[in-house]
Amino acid sequence: MTYFTTIQRTHSNARISKIVRHGGLVYLCGQTAKGSPSADAGIAEQTAEVLARVDALLAEAGSDRSRILTTTIYLRDIAADFAGMNAVWEAWLADRKAIAPARTTVQAALATASLRVEMTVVAIENERSPNPQGS
């Protein structure tokens, strides 16, 4: 069964792949607001940018936010940013009536001082008809 043994990597470089698909699952690398106008903004703006990037990558991979199994959220300052991040997160889920996934939120020193939030996601691909050719 090729479907379960094939690993597809998208947007890859020497260090990471933004999307990895395997066995019906979609794995997204850590998403931040880096490179966007909100990269120097507050937690609400950065969280909205990160979630927009998650939406775009999931769509490209054949999934969506309603199919997220788990998310790990890294906050630079959990005491200062937890409530603001949660407000944007909850609105994002409610917007499409997505069911809340399993989630872990931790404090972490992020790669760039201006970044407030980073998220990694694991989701299920949208259902599709099995391909007997295995491709």
Side-chain angles (χ1 to χ4, degrees):
M1 300 183 96
T2 305
Y3 177 72
F4 290 105
T5 59
T6 300
I7 299 172
Q8 296 176 321
R9 301 171 199 279
T10 308
H11 305 293
S12 299
N13 63 34
R15 289 178 280 157
I16 65 166
S17 295
K18 285 188 178 181
I19 303 168
V20 175
R21 292 172 55 203
H22 173 69
L25 295 176
V26 176
Y27 301 85
L28 301 184
C29 72
Q31 297 301 302
T32 68
K34 186 176 180 179
S36 76
S38 63
D40 293 318
I43 189 64
E45 295 85 356
Q46 285 195 23
T47 302
E49 175 65 27
V50 168
L51 293 173
R53 290 177 179 198
V54 166
D55 275 336
L57 289 171
L58 287 175
E60 181 178 341
S63 189
D64 62 69
R65 71 180 82 158
S66 72
R67 304 199 44 93
I68 295 175
L69 298 173
T70 184
T71 302
T72 302
I73 301 173
Y74 306 92
L75 295 174
R76 177 169 295 282
D77 185 342
I78 202 164
D81 292 336
F82 190 72
M85 178 277 299
N86 267 333
V88 177
W89 170 266
E90 290 166 6
W92 181 73
L93 288 175
D95 180 46
R96 298 234 179 117
K97 297 180 178 41
I99 297 170
R103 191 184 97 175
T104 301
T105 305
V106 297
Q107 182 166 302
L110 300 177
T112 304
S114 66
L115 295 177
R116 315 273 332 141
V117 59
E118 181 171 348
M119 295 184 193
T120 60
V121 171
V122 178
I124 300 172
E125 291 178 336
N126 288 330
E127 293 181 27
R128 62 181 184 199
S129 300
N131 183 338
Q133 272 64 359
S135 55

